């Protein structure tokens, strides 16, 4: 399916969530409001709220309850992006100036903190301790994932397992609980919400692997930022880990990694990208992404055959094949 078709079908509910996002970040503080609105208006695919809405279709679909999950999850994602841009010294995201670029790192960090706080404030409108426990645990795990990413910067000896654990925390977990919490907020039974969690986890793993692939094979126009951003900061992703296993590539890749590290990422990386693009690492990473999508769809096998199930499968295939 094309994601635009799903957006069109769910336009009313997505527009409602968008308005709730705007309301949630409103503040009398002019600079905080301006920076937060700038981030919100930069857009995004709103994948997490969509998963919340689709997960809620398996229970009692009540937008006045569901919004208190959909909005916080997108806010948490937004806040993590602001902090990521500070760590990465990113100038643009989705073709727009980042908050740190338009203002400075201090404004960006406090804007991220503010949005995190607003996410938790919105979630408290639902008097369900399990939802709060799941959300808070996810934020803790995301923080550990980001710290682990920093710990492994420019480490060519990291394993596939270490990479997968890192992206589980950094990305997959938030998508997993988006599916799960949508169902919980809608009163679905625990077995069903757990299945949706597993579906979201596997989709989330694919999402990050595809993201890491696109950073190496995409164009600046497609990405909204220059390709190779990950390696400039020292983030060695799955295609690179696989490529480093190839005997004929390991030595030249190690030499390039050392050169990029010594230049603090401020150097030409075209030769490095050329080697990765022509390695078997790209294909191997794509195959692993496809395996996660297959696992995700298997988790839906015994779920009720409603339209939301078909839509989840469609979104999974979109994420598995996305080029932006």
């Amino acid at each position: 399916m094309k994601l635009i078709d799903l957006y069109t079908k769910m336009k009313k509910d997505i527009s409602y969530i968008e308005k709730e996002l705007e309301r949630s970040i409103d503040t009398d503080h002019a600079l905080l409001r301006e920076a937060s609105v700038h981030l919100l208006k930069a857009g995004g695919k709103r994948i997490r709220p969509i998963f919340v809405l689709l997960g809620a279709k398996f229970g009692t679909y009540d937008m006045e309850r569901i919004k208190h999950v959909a909005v916080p999850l997108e806010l948490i994602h937004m806040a993590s992006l602001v902090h990521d841009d500070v760590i990465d010294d990113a100038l643009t995201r989705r073709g727009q100036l980042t908050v740190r670029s338009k203002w400075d790192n201090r404004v960006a960090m406090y804007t991220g903190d503010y949005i995190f706080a607003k996410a938790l404030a919105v979630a408290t409108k639902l008097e369900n301790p399990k939802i709060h426990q799941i959300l808070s645990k996810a934020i803790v795990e995301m923080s550990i994932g980001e710290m682990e990413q920093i710990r492994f910067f420019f480490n060519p000896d990291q394993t596939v397992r270490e990479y997968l654990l890192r992206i589980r925390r950094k990305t997959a977990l938030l998508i997993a609980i988006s599916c799960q919490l949508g169902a919980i907020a809608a009163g679905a039974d625990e077995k069903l919400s757990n299945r949706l969690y597993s579906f979201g986890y596997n989709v989330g793993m694919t999402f990050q692997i595809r993201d890491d692939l696109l950073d190496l094979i995409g164009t600046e126009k497609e990405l909204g930022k220059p390709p190779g951003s990950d390696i400039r900061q020292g983030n060695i992703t799955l295609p690179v880990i696989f490529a480093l296993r190839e005997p004929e590539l390991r030595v030249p890749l190690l030499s390039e990694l050392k050169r990029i590290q010594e230049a603090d990422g401020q150097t030409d990386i075209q030769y490095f990208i050329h080697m990765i693009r022509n390695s078997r690492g790209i294909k191997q990473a794509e195959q692993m992404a496809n395996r996660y999508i297959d696992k995700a769809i298997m988790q839906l096998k015994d779920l009720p055959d409603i339209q939301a199930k078909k839509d989840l499968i469609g979104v999974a295939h979109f994420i598995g094949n996305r080029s932006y």
Side-chain angles (χ1 to χ4, degrees), residues 205-259:
M205 295 296 282
T206 294
F207 188 95
Q208 188 59 57
I209 294 170
R210 287 298 304 169
D211 212 52
D212 294 342
L213 277 162
L214 290 171
D215 184 66
L216 291 162
I217 64 176
T219 65
E220 185 166 355
K221 183 178 179 181
E222 290 169 335
L223 301 172
K225 60 181 180 179
S229 298
D230 283 332
I231 202 60
R232 285 186 183 279
Q233 73 180 71
N235 185 20
I236 296 176
T237 55
L238 188 61
V240 180
I241 293 172
F242 281 136
L244 281 164
R245 292 177 170 183
E246 298 178 35
E248 68 277 15
L249 284 181
R250 185 167 177 83
V251 171
L253 281 175
L254 288 175
S255 177
E256 280 294 287
L257 281 172
K258 184 179 179 182
R259 184 181 65 81

Side-chain angles (χ1 to χ4, degrees), residues 77-112:
H77 172 61
M78 286 169 54
S80 71
L81 295 183
V82 181
H83 289 162
D84 279 354
D85 289 339
V86 172
I87 299 297
D88 301 348
D89 288 327
L91 297 176
T92 60
R93 181 179 285 277
R94 303 179 186 126
Q96 305 291 322
L97 289 176
T98 58
V99 174
R100 68 159 295 275
S101 179
K102 187 168 182 178
W103 287 276
D104 58 35
N105 282 343
R106 288 173 298 181
V107 170
M109 292 304 292
Y110 287 126
T111 299

